[in-house]
Amino acid sequence: MYLPKLEQFHKYKEMDEGVLGIFDTPEAIMHAAEKTKEKDYIGFDCILPYPVHGIDEAMGTPRSGLPWITFFAGIFGCTIGILFQYLTHAHDWPLNISGKSLNAWFAYVPIIFELTVFSAGIYTVAALCFLSGIPKATRRILHPDLTSHKFGLWIPKSAKGYNESDVVSFVKSLGGSEVTVVKPENQK
Amino acid sequence: MSLTQAVRDKLDIPDLVTGGKSLKDVTVDIAKPNEDFPTKLWWNTFLLVLTITLIDVAIIGYLFYEGLYLLGINNPVGWGFFVVNFVFWIGIGHAGTLISAVLYLFRQGWRTGINRAAEAMTIFAVLVAASNLILHVGRPWLGFWLFPYPNERGPLWVNFRSPLIWDTFAVSTYLSISMVFWYLGLIPDLATLRDRATETWRKNLYNILAFGWVGSARAWSHLEIVSMILAALSTPLVLSVHTIVSFDFAVSILPGWHTTIFPPYFVAGAIFSGFAMVVTLMVIAREVFNLKNYITMKHLDNMNKIMMVTGLIVGLAYGTEFFIAWYSGNEYEGFAFWNRAFGPYGWAYFIMISCNVLSPQVFWFRKLRYNIPVMFVASLVVNVGMWFERFVIMMTLNRDFLPSSWAMYTPTLFDYAMLIGTFGIFFTLFLLWCRIMPVIAIAEVKTVMPQKEGAHH
């Protein structure tokens, strides 16, 4: 049976201290991600201007678990839709209209559907915001080109076996065109 | 050359981004209209539509100070231009969701060039539609009564079996899901604009709008899944919204309205008019913002084909309605349709037929599908026709069961002002949006460019 795993809800980690390597092509970043995974720098990340397909496998991050949130939020919205209409029409304010059943549930379907979709959509997006660490207005921007045409490899200080000079030479060996050591104090 | 590119060349599949652009060029080209000072053309158009909007707001104020008697509505035609406008605008909105959601699910790469503008069109069209829905109740300040909430009037709840309440739920769900879908897609692009900004005020503005997006692969992986989920949720939603709008008519017992064909017929009409509006806007946008490499003739060709197909579906629906009215042997149903075509509003019926059924037939010819002036005129004509379709449906009310209660509906100046005003509001919002946010999804366009090849495993 397919069950949600905790690692599917991988969270964005702040980029305060570590090493940033900049790459020029999607191929280079794919290659770099694979090598970094082999090196076992746990918690590393790639910064991409657009979703490069296949990067998840290269980095070893599991598929997002957000569909589970959608599923349960949808069931929640559906239940609310049924209960709300039933309780208001059959209990709190029953009206006898041409002797029809108080629980004429066929007429409830449009609103049940809308509430299901609404709840599934909104809760999923809320979960996405939580996992992606947005909104946050005061966030450090490592390099302006990373949202346009460059690709970044980020190895945080918290990674296992992190050693600044080793990591710098490792990123350089991967072909990073620009390698910078990021420290909290040189934050702009 | 990658294998995919070789196959594309062999099969003569045109590139979705032409002009040999690099990733950087894409960013620069699309961000340009947001970064430059607006042109004179933009200012003139904006001031014109803003004036229309302000006049409209003043007229709405006066209308509600005086009362709805200023409008042409009467008994039996209790639903005037407000509901015509409501159905028209909500239909316009549907193409945006269709492009962003349905084409996403079908992996149509060409949607990336047009989806952003189409989604924005959806939001503004639905806002305009919702305002008409609120205004048509006559006392808009009591519009919140449409929502179920615990109140002080005893155990008084809204009637969940009423199509008006279904509308409320459908439109508000549609608006919120569309807005969320649109904004999520915008976040990475706003981050691009933030990182390119040189002035402080601009940087601060986009910093707030971009929510602090950095483009982490972990966040992208969630965002991609959520886009897919929202697309999957919006697809039935878009069908449900117009189905429910059609229920406003179809669950009544009025001949000509009480038909099961209404939901699919309305949905097809919505897609038809929405695509026409997208073509109108895209033809202008690619010209004004110099985006011909991103909104290519292929994009327009595809949209024209969709317009033609939906036009045929709508034509089939008109025919089916007539056939069933005759075949059912129901005298009242038969009269309703005879009255539509040959009654006092027959002229509107024939405008509808010629605009909606005949005019899209020009798109059978490849040469005309690739002809900008032809498609521009055709898209405008289709929009006029689709407005008249809703008008014709509404005018079914003027002759119902009892000849003693028949009456004509004559729109007053206020009705026309409201109609023009809806266009004013829509274009004001759209023009403002074009200045602040990218008209093309920067990140999404990059995923369909040849450069992304090699990223595949």
Side-chain angles (χ1 to χ4, degrees):
Chain A
M1 196 179 154
Y2 182 64
L3 288 169
K5 294 186 191 69
L6 200 59
E7 61 264 27
Q8 285 186 298
F9 297 89
H10 42 80
K11 207 166 175 292
Y12 169 79
K13 293 185 189 71
E14 289 299 333
M15 296 174 174
D16 294 325
E17 207 168 351
V19 172
L20 171 75
I22 295 194
F23 296 83
D24 295 332
T25 59
E27 293 91 329
I29 191 73
M30 286 292 266
H31 173 74
E34 272 168 358
K35 292 286 170 207
T36 317
K37 184 176 80 176
E38 285 167 19
K39 203 80 169 146
D40 211 16
Y41 284 128
I42 292 165
F44 81 95
D45 208 339
C46 296
I47 309 170
L48 313 165
Y50 61 88
V52 174
H53 289 164
I55 195 89
D56 291 349
E57 296 90 82
M59 284 171 63
T61 38
R63 194 172 181 273
S64 167
L66 285 175
W68 287 103
I69 307 272
T70 317
F71 178 66
F72 288 109
I75 290 177
F76 171 74
C78 181
T79 317
I80 292 286
I82 295 168
L83 287 180
F84 192 35
Q85 296 183 78
Y86 178 72
L87 292 175
T88 51
H89 279 354
H91 288 279
D92 203 27
W93 197 40
L95 279 181
N96 186 344
I97 299 166
S98 337
K100 288 190 185 108
S101 159
L102 288 176
N103 182 28
W105 65 271
F106 256 48
Y108 299 161
V109 171
I111 289 180
I112 294 173
F113 173 79
E114 298 300 333
L115 283 176
T116 308
V117 169
F118 179 80
S119 157
I122 297 300
Y123 284 109
T124 311
V125 171
L128 165 84
C129 290
F130 173 72
L131 293 178
S132 313
I134 54 174
K136 187 174 185 208
T138 54
R139 182 160 280 153
R140 179 175 197 173
I141 306 305
L142 295 176
H143 194 289
D145 287 346
L146 291 178
T147 48
S148 168
H149 54 280
K150 296 276 170 91
F151 303 82
L153 175 70
W154 170 257
I155 300 178
K157 200 185 172 206
S158 56
K160 200 176 75 181
Y162 179 92
N163 174 314
E164 200 176 288
S165 54
D166 282 0
V167 171
V168 169
S169 57
F170 168 68
V171 177
K172 277 188 180 149
S173 76
L174 293 173
S177 58
E178 201 180 308
V179 182
T180 35
V181 178
V182 179
K183 293 230 156 62
E185 53 270 20
N186 57 21
Q187 180 162 12
K188 274 180 269 181
Chain B
M1 189 195 287
S2 67
L3 181 64
T4 327
Q5 191 58 42
V7 172
R8 291 180 75 91
D9 289 349
K10 188 89 182 159
L11 292 176
D12 200 24
I13 298 172
D15 280 336
L16 293 168
V17 176
T18 54
K21 300 283 181 183
S22 70
L23 292 176
K24 189 175 181 185
D25 296 337
V26 174
T27 315
V28 173
D29 287 354
I30 299 174
K32 198 169 181 296
N34 304 116
E35 290 167 352
D36 286 354
F37 192 74
T39 56
K40 216 171 164 183
L41 179 69
W42 185 88
W43 276 114
N44 289 340
T45 325
F46 180 69
L47 287 177
L48 175 74
V49 290
L50 187 67
T51 318
I52 296 175
T53 305
L54 293 177
I55 294 173
D56 186 45
V57 169
I59 292 177
I60 290 173
Y62 182 68
L63 186 67
F64 288 105
Y65 178 74
E66 279 291 317
L68 287 190
Y69 76 90
L70 294 171
L71 299 174
I73 48 176
N74 56 24
N75 201 356
V77 190
W79 285 4
F81 271 22
F82 274 143
V83 176
V84 178
N85 294 342
F86 164 68
V87 184
F88 174 73
W89 281 106
I90 202 116
I92 296 286
H94 283 25
T97 322
L98 194 93
I99 290 170
S100 56
V102 180
L103 299 184
Y104 186 97
L105 292 181
F106 284 117
R107 302 286 184 278
Q108 293 293 307
W110 63 274
R111 67 179 267 286
T112 54
I114 48 171
N115 70 333
R116 175 61 44 75
E119 285 167 31
M121 183 192 82
T122 297
I123 311 275
F124 304 139
V126 176
L127 280 175
V128 171
S131 72
N132 276 285
L133 186 67
I134 298 288
L135 291 176
H136 102 290
V137 298
R139 285 184 284 170
W141 52 93
L142 296 178
F144 67 95
W145 283 5
L146 288 167
F147 288 96
Y149 65 100
N151 54 58
E152 294 166 346
R153 302 186 292 273
L156 179 61
W157 292 100
V158 294
N159 182 6
F160 286 116
R161 296 146 186 161
S162 150
L164 187 62
I165 299 299
W166 297 348
D167 258 355
T168 311
F169 274 79
V171 174
S172 48
T173 303
Y174 185 48
L175 185 62
S176 30
I177 296 289
S178 306
M179 269 191 154
V180 164
F181 195 11
W182 171 71
Y183 203 80
L184 267 190
L186 265 170
I187 288 174
D189 294 355
L190 291 169
T192 308
L193 290 179
R194 171 197 64 198
D195 293 348
R196 285 176 53 80
T198 41
E199 300 103 321
T200 320
W201 70 268
R202 193 185 284 278
K203 213 173 185 71
N204 288 337
L205 172 72
Y206 285 118
N207 194 22
I208 294 165
L209 291 177
F211 280 7
W213 177 264
V214 284
S216 146
R218 290 163 196 278
W220 271 122
S221 108
H222 290 309
L223 185 73
E224 281 242 278
I225 290 279
V226 172
S227 303
M228 177 104 82
I229 289 170
L230 288 180
L233 288 174
S234 311
T235 304
L237 187 62
V238 83
L239 303 179
S240 87
V241 172
H242 226 71
T243 299
I244 289 174
V245 169
S246 84
F247 284 169
D248 292 349
F249 305 89
V251 301
S252 71
I253 50 160
L254 198 76
W257 283 6
H258 187 61
T259 54
T260 47
I261 200 177
F262 260 42
Y265 160 44
F266 267 50
V267 171
I271 295 164
F272 182 46
S273 62
F275 267 90
M277 190 61 113
V278 178
V279 170
T280 314
L281 294 175
M282 290 300 102
V283 165
I284 300 172
R286 73 198 284 274
E287 204 68 47
V288 173
F289 296 129
N290 198 17
L291 296 170
K292 288 184 188 147
N293 284 316
Y294 304 98
I295 306 167
T296 62
M297 290 311 285
K298 184 67 201 161
H299 288 94
L300 296 172
D301 174 45
N302 284 347
M303 286 191 284
N304 290 339
K305 281 179 186 164
I306 294 178
M307 241 202 301
M308 190 180 81
V309 171
T310 45
L312 288 172
I313 298 176
V314 170
L316 176 68
Y318 298 153
T320 311
E321 278 189 321
F322 259 86
F323 173 73
I324 294 298
W326 165 76
Y327 189 67
S328 66
N330 183 323
E331 210 178 308
Y332 295 101
E333 189 83 7
F335 174 74
F337 282 93
W338 180 87
N339 185 51
R340 259 187 205 179
F342 306 108
Y345 294 106
W347 55 272
Y349 189 84
F350 285 102
I351 290 179
M352 169 185 104
I353 292 285
S354 45
C355 293
N356 292 348
V357 185
L358 303 181
S359 80
Q361 302 313 317
V362 298
F363 294 132
W364 283 103
F365 305 99
R366 185 188 153 90
K367 216 173 170 180
L368 297 177
R369 284 202 304 274
Y370 278 77
N371 187 323
I372 296 275
V374 169
M375 71 175 86
F376 187 69
V377 172
S379 69
L380 289 178
V381 165
V382 166
N383 272 316
V384 171
M386 283 309 291
W387 190 87
F388 271 100
E389 180 194 303
R390 278 71 189 240
F391 178 78
V392 165
I393 292 171
M394 220 61 74
M395 285 313 115
T396 306
L397 282 169
N398 93 312
R399 289 182 172 180
D400 59 2
F401 299 99
L402 286 175
S404 60
S405 65
W406 289 1
M408 289 295 286
Y409 169 80
T410 318
T412 64
L413 273 180
F414 283 89
D415 286 293
Y416 290 116
M418 291 294 143
L419 171 62
I420 298 166
T422 57
F423 284 91
I425 299 170
F426 176 78
F427 283 107
T428 306
L429 291 171
F430 196 82
L431 281 172
L432 268 181
W433 169 78
C434 285
R435 297 300 322 161
I436 303 169
M437 297 178 183
V439 278
I440 291 180
I442 304 178
E444 286 184 45
V445 164
K446 287 175 185 165
T447 62
V448 296
M449 290 173 65
Q451 281 87 340
K452 64 103 195 192
E453 299 298 341
H456 276 293
H457 268 267

